[in-house]
């Protein structure tokens, strides 16, 4: 056990990351955040900035910014430590100094202005980063460690974590990012970037004001798992049509389509379709008749 670690041991390559774990080193693939999730993150951030500017609704829980972070607590009966962290993106290495300078300049210019009056300038500065996809490193996400408690202790020992994002309806976008975690000290320029990005909104109502940021985390994405809920179509227990009843016969295609109806109302639906067939003088129920019955009866 390496309790004396102050930072996790991570070696990042272009398409992979090497992680030093208690049981030995592992090498994991790196992958970029898929476009549909990048779209979702961007859309949520745009809504946030519109809300801050008073253009739309009030700021509520910012799903795109506050995923559940899960780390491993070694030796615990319940080994999974969960918390919410405010998570953002980071620039590609070649653009890091550009945005550090932009954020510092913006904070300096607005230092003596009323906070609400400075809001448009602050939003404009951060938008130059978040809405320029060519300058974002979508292989990673970032956050600040403020409290230095269980999460930090866990990541020092086992630098692996999962981020679970969950969105609102009607789509309920949800996905899990499995990550290798790099712990940054204050002298790292990426730590500086993350602190400045937070500082641009430090005194807005959706943030808890903090003065000390001892560490930052970079979550290097090694796996993306879609968690968005969807309707499960059950496999019919009976795929063959029943024997003819009362002169009516179901063909296989029609019967299969009928069995996708919710079980609790199948009896009612079958009666309606069969009565419809009798009124039409039909003796065999096919898929076209099922569709016609659905359209007319609805």
């Amino acid at each position: 056990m390496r309790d004396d670690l102050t930072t996790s041991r991570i070696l990042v390559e272009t398409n992979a990351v090497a992680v030093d774990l208690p049981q030995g080193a592992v090498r994991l693939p790196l992958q970029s955040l898929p476009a549909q999730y990048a779209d979702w993150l961007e859309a949520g951030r745009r809504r946030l900035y519109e809300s801050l500017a008073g253009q739309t609704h009030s700021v509520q829980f910012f799903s795109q910014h506050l995923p559940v972070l899960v780390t491993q607590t070694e030796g615990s009966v319940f080994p999974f430590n969960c918390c919410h962290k405010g998570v953002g993106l980071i620039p590609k290495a070649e653009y890091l100094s550009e945005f550090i300078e932009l954020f510092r300049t913006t904070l300096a210019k607005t230092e003596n202005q009323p906070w609400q009056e400075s809001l448009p300038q602050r939003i404009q500065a951060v938008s130059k980063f978040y809405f320029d996809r060519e300058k974002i490193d979508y292989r990673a996400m970032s956050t600040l460690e403020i409290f230095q408690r269980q999460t930090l202790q866990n990541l020092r020992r086992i630098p692996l974590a999962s981020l679970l994002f969950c969105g609102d309806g009607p789509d309920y976008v949800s996905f899990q990012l499995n990550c290798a975690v790099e712990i940054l000290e204050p002298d790292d320029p990426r730590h500086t970037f993350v602190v400045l990005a937070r500082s641009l909104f430090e005194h807005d109502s959706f943030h808890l004001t903090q003065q000390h940021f001892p560490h930052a985390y970079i979550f290097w994405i090694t796996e993306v798992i879609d968690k968005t809920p969807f309707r499960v179509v059950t496999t019919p227990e009976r795929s063959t049509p029943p024997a003819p009843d009362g002169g009516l016969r179901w063909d296989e295609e029609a019967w299969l389509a009928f069995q996708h109806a919710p079980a609790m109302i199948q009896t009612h639906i079958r009666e309606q379709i069969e009565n419809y067939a009798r009124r039409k003088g039909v003796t065999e129920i096919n898929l076209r008749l099922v569709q016609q019955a659905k359209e007319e009866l609805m």
Side-chain angles (χ1 to χ4, degrees), residues 35-175:
Q36 69 266 32
Y37 301 137
D39 292 343
W40 180 76
L41 291 176
E42 181 177 310
R45 193 165 290 275
R46 287 187 184 277
R47 286 196 298 272
L48 172 70
Y49 296 160
E50 290 170 356
S51 297
L52 288 173
Q55 298 175 20
T56 57
H57 49 279
S58 61
V59 177
Q60 298 178 353
F61 188 83
F62 183 14
S63 300
Q64 286 85 347
H65 181 59
L66 288 168
V68 175
L69 169 61
V70 183
T71 58
Q72 300 179 53
T73 304
E74 199 168 47
S76 173
V77 175
F78 297 99
F80 306 111
N81 179 65
C82 304
C83 63
H84 280 296
K85 288 286 188 183
V87 173
L89 297 165
I90 61 171
K92 295 175 181 176
E94 60 266 35
Y95 300 111
L96 184 59
S97 59
E98 172 187 333
F99 288 111
I100 288 176
E101 180 61 26
L102 173 62
F103 293 174
R104 276 179 171 158
T105 300
T106 302
L107 287 168
K109 286 181 178 178
T110 59
E111 184 177 9
N112 296 319
Q113 295 180 21
W115 194 245
Q116 190 63 31
E117 183 181 310
S118 71
L119 183 60
Q121 296 174 70
R122 293 184 282 117
I123 290 176
Q124 182 182 36
V126 79
S127 296
K128 287 183 178 180
F129 165 64
Y130 272 108
F131 304 141
D132 188 345
R133 295 196 180 187
E134 290 300 316
K135 297 182 178 180
I136 295 172
D137 188 347
Y138 281 106
R139 300 175 303 161
M141 303 197 78
S142 64
T143 193
L144 288 166
E145 177 55 71
I146 298 169
F147 307 108
Q148 302 187 84
R149 297 171 64 184
Q150 192 66 54
T151 296
L152 178 61
Q153 180 180 331
N154 288 353
L155 291 175
R156 280 176 169 169
R157 295 177 180 177
I158 305 174
L160 301 174
S162 295
L163 295 170
L164 177 64
F165 289 86
C166 298
D168 297 326
D171 298 324
Y172 299 103
V173 170
S174 182
F175 57 95

Side-chain angles (χ1 to χ4, degrees), residues 190-216:
R190 294 169 297 170
H191 183 286
T192 301
F193 170 84
V194 181
V195 170
L196 289 170
R198 179 190 169 96
S199 298
L200 285 168
F201 299 98
E202 178 68 25
H203 300 291
D204 288 296
S205 59
F206 64 95
H207 263 161
L208 295 175
T209 301
Q210 304 290 342
Q211 300 298 325
H212 183 52
F213 305 101
H215 301 287

